[in-house]
């Protein structure tokens, strides 16, 4: 027999899982260190790709005017400068990404704890109902 209180609790849990499920998934699948490493690895490739595109656009824009009068020293200086800018860009970007995904993982951890608490309450409801039942032959 279904308890109305238990059905309400299960409905509340299902709605919570549907609403917050995407935030909880990383917590269930990965440890924090693995999750952050994966996110940072993906973002390293993404940031490098974006930086290459921006450098290509800058070189394309400067090609017709500056590169015709460019000497070897200027070329080396430009390459060194672009590498330095890339390293600083990656350092700042990865720091931002690490904070962002760490916060996201921590929020998922809190939501997962809340969901575990709800499951524990549901288990207690089941146990209370089992304790209240009388065996069929004992009436």
């Amino acid at each position: 027999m279904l308890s109305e209180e238990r059905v309400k609790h299960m409905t509340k849990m299902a709605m919570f899982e549907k609403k917050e499920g995407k935030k909880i998934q990383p917590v269930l699948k990965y440890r924090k260190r693995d999750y952050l490493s994966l996110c940072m690895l993906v973002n390293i490739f993404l940031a490098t790709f974006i930086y290459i595109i921006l450098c290509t656009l800058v070189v394309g824009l400067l090609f017709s005017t500056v590169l015709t009068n460019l000497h070897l020293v200027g070329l080396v200086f430009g390459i060194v400068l672009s590498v330095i800018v890339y390293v600083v860009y990656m350092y700042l970007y990865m720091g931002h990404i690490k904070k962002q995904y760490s916060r996201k993982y921590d929020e998922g951890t809190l939501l997962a704890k809340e969901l575990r608490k709800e499951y524990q309450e549901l288990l207690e409801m089941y146990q209370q109902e089992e304790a209240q039942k009388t065996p069929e032959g004992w009436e």
Side-chain angles (χ1 to χ4, degrees), residues 126-137:
Y126 275 115
Q127 290 172 346
Q128 287 175 358
E129 287 180 17
E130 284 294 320
Q132 291 175 358
K133 285 185 181 177
T134 56
E136 290 181 18

Side-chain angles (χ1 to χ4, degrees), residues 28-44:
L28 301 176
K29 288 183 180 181
Y30 305 105
R31 293 181 305 148
K32 185 174 184 175
R33 183 176 178 181
D34 295 336
Y35 177 70
L36 291 176
S37 297
L38 178 66
C39 291
M40 289 183 72
L41 183 65
V42 168
N43 279 286
I44 284 172

Side-chain angles (χ1 to χ4, degrees), residues 4 13 33 35 37 44 55 59 61 67-68 70-71 82 108 122 124 137-139:
E4 185 177 330
M13 287 174 55
R33 183 176 178 181
Y35 177 70
S37 297
I44 284 172
C55 283
V59 168
L61 291 173
L67 290 181
T68 55
L70 189 64
H71 299 289
S82 67
L122 184 63
E124 290 171 4
W138 289 24
E139 296 178 297

